[in-house]
Amino acid sequence: MKEFYFTSESVTEGHPDKICDQVSDAILDDVLRQDINGRVACETLVTRGLLFIAGEITTEGYVEIPSLVRELLKEIGYVDMAYGFNYDASAIITAIQEQSPDIAQGVDIGGAGDQGMMFGFATKETPQLMPLPIMLAHALVKKLAELRKNKVLNYLRPDGKSQVTVRYVDDKPVEVTAVVLSSQHDEGISQDKIRDDLRQLVVEQVIPRELLAPHYKLFVNPTGRFVIGGPQADTGVTGRKIIVDTYGGFGKHGGGCFSGKDPTKVDRTASYFARYLAKNIVASGVAEKCEIQLSYVIGQKQPVSIMLNMFDTEKVPAEKLIEIIRKNLDLSPSGMIKKLNLLRPIFRKTACYGHFGREEEEFTWEKTDIVDLFASAL
């Protein structure tokens, strides 16, 4: 018997890093609403009382960044000065320039916007073909946000985190052995009340009873207090939650973040397409687990390498599947953009609770519409 424990984490939309991801993607969406050929590489930094937005934007449109950002912060929930950060009382500074013409000359002809390697992953251990720990971690923080926004627990504030540990036996998830929930809260709320509320209304509502180990460990606000949070307590930066955004550490990561990057950037688009390929391979029954790496050179259209690892679960050799991919699918940036219909303002929604394992209409890379292509190899 092979046994191991694996842990993944997630964060709420009010976490400082996730504020930054959402700001960067909201700006991208506003550019795409006006100009589908717009180029965006937008980074955000947030700290107490200040957002700093920098990057390269080339577009025929115009984004009113301060008003866009303030509305976003209001929606996230930073509406009270007691939170130490407020949508209407924080300074917003921008430092935006156009995309370098040296880069544009390679992108304009359909080449990749940068070099790099991107990974996609899928596994049969959940209906979404995602690792169980990250799916549970996302579900916990989404539930926290729901309870806060619906005022079921009106003492909750926007910042929060989750962490889930799962015991595996023979590569199969068996039970959840530990859960961590940290949720920012108002003054004067006892930790006993917060622990009881989050156990009953979050953990036991999200994680099926049969998955919880009989004596699982629950840690709620482990320091004993979480009143000061958000940008008042922690500086946030775009792209600092790349493992939260992907597979919770279960699959590899090429290192490039997604948020604030238009679809010509293969960091984003090729990662989405690699997930699309891996998911369809697993859904086809060819393998129970699959990881794909695509690598690109700046200005070049096609990947310089494709790696496929099915962890000894495959029914078809990897070389045959790679041949099918190269023969039937266009892996150029423009080909992937067209296949996944990415030139739409859909990206702010991706910026929290994970880019993968989502079943909403915008997440076209989650479709399993090319399973027959791989099943034909059986």
Side-chain angles (χ1 to χ4, degrees):
M1 181 179 73
K2 175 186 175 185
E3 180 182 77
F4 66 90
Y5 294 78
F6 196 89
T7 301
S8 294
E9 69 162 352
S10 187
V11 298
T12 65
E13 61 211 68
H15 185 280
D17 292 330
K18 278 292 144 199
I19 293 173
C20 294
D21 286 343
Q22 290 172 89
V23 167
S24 294
D25 272 339
I27 292 169
L28 168 61
D29 280 354
D30 208 42
V31 169
L32 290 175
R33 282 188 191 96
Q34 303 172 63
D35 178 11
I36 63 170
N37 296 313
R39 302 279 167 72
V40 178
C42 182
E43 314 288 345
T44 303
L45 178 146
V46 65
T47 187
R48 183 172 185 164
L50 172 68
L51 286 102
F52 189 92
I53 301 159
E56 298 79 47
I57 298 178
T58 302
T59 178
E60 297 296 323
Y62 174 75
V63 181
E64 178 53 45
I65 290 177
S67 60
L68 180 74
V69 171
R70 293 191 194 284
E71 184 59 33
L72 172 61
L73 295 175
K74 186 177 180 181
E75 290 178 27
I76 291 172
Y78 283 101
V79 295
D80 192 326
M81 291 298 292
Y83 298 171
F85 186 78
N86 181 270
Y87 80 98
D88 202 34
S90 298
I92 298 172
I93 299 173
T94 62
I96 305 294
Q97 58 185 337
E98 291 188 337
Q99 184 181 65
S100 162
D102 293 350
I103 296 174
Q105 68 179 353
V107 179
D108 290 343
I109 61 171
D114 202 352
Q115 70 176 46
M117 72 294 293
M118 299 84 206
F119 287 91
F121 183 78
T123 175
K124 273 196 169 177
E125 64 188 61
T126 63
Q128 299 84 7
L129 304 185
M130 286 284 288
L132 180 63
I134 189 64
M135 294 303 293
L136 293 177
H138 286 323
L140 289 170
V141 287
K142 286 179 76 172
K143 190 67 173 179
L144 272 181
E146 176 190 315
L147 294 173
R148 172 177 61 86
K149 291 181 174 182
N150 293 337
K151 302 188 184 303
V152 176
L153 297 178
N154 59 9
Y155 59 79
L156 295 182
R157 294 181 176 183
D159 197 2
K161 303 178 79 170
S162 68
Q163 186 172 287
V164 178
T165 300
V166 175
R167 182 170 75 96
Y168 283 75
V169 176
D170 294 332
D171 288 328
K172 306 294 183 186
V174 172
E175 60 184 359
V176 173
T177 60
V179 176
V180 182
L181 277 177
S182 295
S183 185
Q184 188 186 13
H185 58 86
D186 289 347
E187 287 271 15
I189 311 299
S190 76
Q191 288 302 311
D192 285 342
K193 175 173 175 51
I194 296 171
R195 178 186 170 85
D196 288 345
D197 284 347
L198 297 193
R199 177 179 57 80
Q200 295 176 33
L201 299 177
V202 180
V203 177
E204 293 179 358
Q205 295 298 313
V206 167
I207 302 178
R209 169 56 61 181
E210 62 271 18
L211 265 181
L212 282 170
H215 303 291
Y216 79 97
K217 297 177 182 178
L218 175 61
F219 303 88
V220 174
N221 293 345
T223 69
R225 174 183 164 90
F226 190 7
V227 173
I228 300 172
Q232 180 184 14
D234 184 15
T235 298
V237 181
T238 297
R240 206 158 56 179
K241 287 290 178 284
I242 58 176
I243 299 303
V244 171
D245 286 341
T246 52
Y247 307 102
F250 222 103
K252 295 186 181 69
H253 197 294
C257 79
F258 305 154
S259 290
K261 296 177 180 178
D262 73 78
T264 67
K265 276 69 172 178
V266 284
D267 275 341
R268 175 166 233 153
T269 297
S271 294
Y272 288 178
F273 210 82
R275 161 64 178 171
Y276 177 62
L277 294 173
K279 186 175 183 180
N280 276 270
I281 286 172
V282 171
S284 74
V286 168
E288 293 193 5
K289 189 186 296 186
C290 179
E291 182 176 79
I292 293 180
Q293 184 201 61
L294 304 175
S295 67
Y296 287 83
V297 176
I298 188 168
Q300 301 299 305
K301 293 182 179 181
Q302 295 297 325
V304 293
S305 70
I306 302 174
M307 183 281 297
L308 182 56
N309 180 9
M310 292 174 281
F311 306 93
D312 297 323
T313 68
E314 65 268 26
K315 299 176 183 177
V316 175
E319 294 78 10
K320 186 172 183 180
L321 297 180
I322 292 172
E323 182 182 346
I324 289 172
I325 291 168
R326 287 193 179 276
K327 183 177 179 181
N328 294 278
L329 296 164
D330 183 359
L331 300 184
S332 69
S334 59
M336 295 185 293
I337 288 168
K338 182 178 179 180
K339 180 67 175 177
L340 299 181
N341 192 19
L342 295 182
L343 293 179
R344 297 178 294 151
I346 61 172
F347 296 107
R348 181 200 155 181
K349 195 172 185 179
T350 70
C352 52
Y353 311 125
H355 292 246
F356 306 127
R358 309 270 293 269
E359 297 175 348
E360 296 99 317
E361 180 272 334
E362 295 91 342
F363 293 72
T364 52
W365 48 95
E366 292 297 314
K367 291 182 178 180
T368 51
D369 56 357
I370 55 171
V371 290
D372 290 346
L373 195 62
F374 299 113
S376 66
L378 289 170

